[in-house]
Amino acid sequence: ILELSGVDYLSSAGVRVFLTLLKSMGQSGKQLILAGLQPYCREVIKITGLSDAFVIRPTLEEALNLVSAPVES
């Protein structure tokens, strides 16, 4: 989980870091969850077409609930 509520700017370099993390975590079977995205950063993710690549939750609490929820079989 990356808690980003204090981040109000996201450059292309930041997007590349997210993509590197996403690839690395995906190879190990884990998810990268972005929590608390500010409007500008959310728009950058949307414009770059990456909204579906990341799990995005509005708050850290919701992100934590996602990872602590029991897995259905």
Side-chain angles (χ1 to χ4, degrees):
I1 298 173
L2 291 179
E3 202 288 315
L4 301 165
S5 64
V7 177
D8 58 4
Y9 179 77
L10 183 60
S11 68
S12 59
V15 171
R16 282 193 302 275
V17 169
F18 286 178
L19 289 173
T20 300
L21 285 169
L22 182 68
K23 181 179 178 183
S24 174
M25 293 185 74
Q27 290 172 343
S28 63
K30 298 178 181 164
Q31 290 183 314
L32 177 61
I33 303 171
L34 306 180
L37 281 174
Q38 295 299 312
Y40 176 81
C41 296
R42 183 180 292 276
E43 188 67 16
V44 169
I45 296 294
K46 181 180 174 184
I47 287 171
T48 56
L50 297 171
S51 295
D52 293 334
F54 298 103
V55 176
I56 300 173
R57 291 296 179 264
T59 65
L60 177 59
E61 181 179 5
E62 289 182 57
L64 290 169
N65 286 339
L66 182 66
V67 297
S68 64
V71 176
E72 295 180 24
S73 35

